[in-house]
Amino acid sequence: MKRVERKVMMMAVMVLISFGGFAQKLDEARMERDIEVAENILSTLLKQQFDKRSFFPIEVRGNYRAGYGVTFTIPNLQTGVWMQGFDVPAISWSNGEGSFSYSYSDGSEDGVTIIDRQQAENNKEQAEQAREMARQEKNRAPKIAGSVARAPKAPRVAGLKRTNSRLDRDSLREESNKKVINAIKEFMADYSDLIGQLTPTERVVVTNRGENERFWFGQFDNQQGNTYLSVEANKSDLTQYKQNKMTRDQLMAKIKVVNSELDNELQPDLELLASIFNRLYRSDLSKTYFTQGNTYYERLKDFGVIYYMQVYSSNQQDDDFWAMPTISLNEIDQKTRDEKVKELYPLFAKSIKEDMLEYGRTLKSLKDDESLILNIKMTRCVGCGIPSSLELTVKNSVLKDYSSGKLSKEAAMQKITEKKGAEQ
């Protein structure tokens, strides 16, 4: 009997030891170092895809969220172009909130050189730098007495078409996106294992949409063709590939890629739903969290529509007291406020899913296989254990079936997928 007990005890100890690695505290300094190295590798791979002809650095920002994984944000590499002899700007790029372009004419022969552009909130400095580089390039063109100065002919880009003396921008965009996706997949397969502390359930994500980016539809005329890009791989799949338990082709098939053109055509049903959520979650109507700004959306062709919301739970009255307007509380201390925030979270999550079903039915422009997505940045509550973000996704076919009575509310609620950010 004692021998059996000893065996049981030894097995228990072995189990505890085997799981000890997962219970170890995250080495934040090491994680930060690993992410910085990975940022540099991904930036270099992206540059190499464009033959290293880049005027601006390609900035990559990595961020780790416990329980979710690492997200790398890259510029929206809507390839800028330096073009000679075409009826388009000489230097142009977009930061996702409007296009910026500067040009000069040097009478040179037709040619195209690809350059990258850095996505930045303020492009004035980069724009002036680009203009100055254009002037210098023009001045470097060889000058021959009695003739017109010409710059050397720039190489053509394979696969691009010329239609009615204009560059086929769709071909340029498609070629650019292929290069970016190839670089990201190579990074994930060959180098993402350098981020050593990820757990098997976490993931590596590369996207051109930053957390705080918002898109204003109809505000600029030159936004046509901007794209949304997201490439995602599970750590468990990456590990299996590194251990030769999966071929490269099998890994590539498992990497999820969303590559969709943003549609900036104003659509009444999308605008209507944005206005509905704006009103529903004002502090005078909401019974949980509330919004103070507008709800913005991005329409992705053949994918769906993403609505972006920021929700709050309270307003700070002074250094020590808070007000929570949706539940009529005033002058409460921090501890009480945090307790109430935690209590409201499950109510908020349930109510907003119900609102997705009830009001998502107003959408008429989505196809059955397209999705309605709510991307919600949550109220701040340090140490409360609620997620920092919440993303809810439901297929339009589910909304239609619920509207027609083919699905009950309970069944439709079960079909809403939920993705949470790291706990606060």
Side-chain angles (χ1 to χ4, degrees), residues 214-400:
R214 297 294 181 265
F215 192 82
W216 290 74
F217 278 78
Q219 188 171 355
F220 297 96
D221 293 331
N222 295 322
Q223 288 175 319
Q224 187 68 34
N226 287 339
T227 58
Y228 171 92
L229 179 66
S230 176
V231 184
E232 179 178 320
N234 292 326
K235 173 61 176 177
S236 57
D237 292 333
L238 296 171
T239 300
Q240 285 199 0
Y241 170 68
K242 282 295 183 179
Q243 295 175 348
N244 295 319
K245 296 178 181 178
M246 183 186 297
T247 66
R248 195 175 185 91
D249 287 343
Q250 288 173 331
L251 174 64
M252 294 303 168
K254 285 180 172 289
I255 294 177
K256 179 181 178 182
V257 178
V258 177
N259 178 24
S260 181
E261 182 180 339
L262 291 174
D263 186 350
N264 60 0
E265 180 182 349
L266 290 175
Q267 296 175 333
D269 60 329
L270 303 183
E271 294 287 332
L272 176 62
L273 187 58
S275 68
I276 289 173
F277 278 110
N278 280 335
R279 187 65 191 96
L280 280 176
Y281 286 89
R282 294 294 183 186
S283 58
D284 60 331
L285 282 187
S286 177
K287 301 300 181 184
T288 55
Y289 303 146
F290 61 93
T291 60
Q292 289 183 324
N294 289 325
T295 298
Y296 306 111
Y297 71 88
E298 291 177 337
R299 178 68 167 99
L300 309 179
K301 287 185 177 179
D302 300 320
F303 182 75
V305 59
I306 304 176
Y307 287 87
Y308 295 93
M309 297 176 65
Q310 163 78 66
V311 296
Y312 304 89
S313 59
S314 50
N315 296 314
Q316 192 165 9
Q317 295 178 308
D318 54 42
D319 292 339
D320 299 316
F321 295 101
W322 298 79
M324 300 185 72
T326 61
I327 53 176
S328 303
L329 288 180
N330 288 289
E331 296 186 353
I332 57 175
D333 59 22
Q334 181 79 48
K335 181 180 178 181
T336 304
R337 178 259 183 194
D338 290 351
E339 289 175 352
K340 293 297 182 183
V341 171
K342 289 189 286 186
E343 291 176 8
L344 289 177
Y345 173 72
L347 301 176
F348 168 76
K350 181 175 182 292
S351 66
I352 200 159
K353 288 179 183 178
E354 291 174 341
D355 290 334
M356 282 186 77
L357 296 178
E358 293 298 331
Y359 299 101
R361 296 184 293 173
T362 63
L363 295 178
K364 306 299 182 185
S365 59
L366 294 188
K367 301 173 185 176
D368 287 355
D369 60 344
E370 292 184 321
S371 297
L372 165 62
I373 303 166
L374 293 186
N375 185 295
I376 308 163
K377 190 173 182 179
M378 300 298 297
T379 181
R380 184 170 175 80
C381 190
V382 178
C384 293
I386 68 171
S388 56
S389 63
L390 179 64
E391 186 172 281
L392 304 173
T393 304
V394 63
K395 289 285 187 182
N396 191 45
S397 58
V398 174
L399 297 175
K400 285 186 173 181

Side-chain angles (χ1 to χ4, degrees), residues 142-150:
K143 295 182 178 181
I144 302 174
S147 64
V148 178
R150 292 180 179 269

Side-chain angles (χ1 to χ4, degrees), residues 13-27 30 64 196-200 202:
V13 171
M14 291 177 65
V15 169
L16 288 174
I17 291 173
S18 67
F19 281 96
F22 293 102
Q24 290 178 358
K25 185 177 180 180
L26 178 75
D27 185 339
R30 179 188 166 195
Y64 173 71
Q197 298 183 85
L198 294 180
T199 67
E202 292 180 325

Side-chain angles (χ1 to χ4, degrees), residues 29 38 115 118 146 204 273 360 381 408 411 419:
I115 67 170
Q118 177 177 357
V204 178
L273 187 58
C381 190
S408 66
K419 185 167 70 175

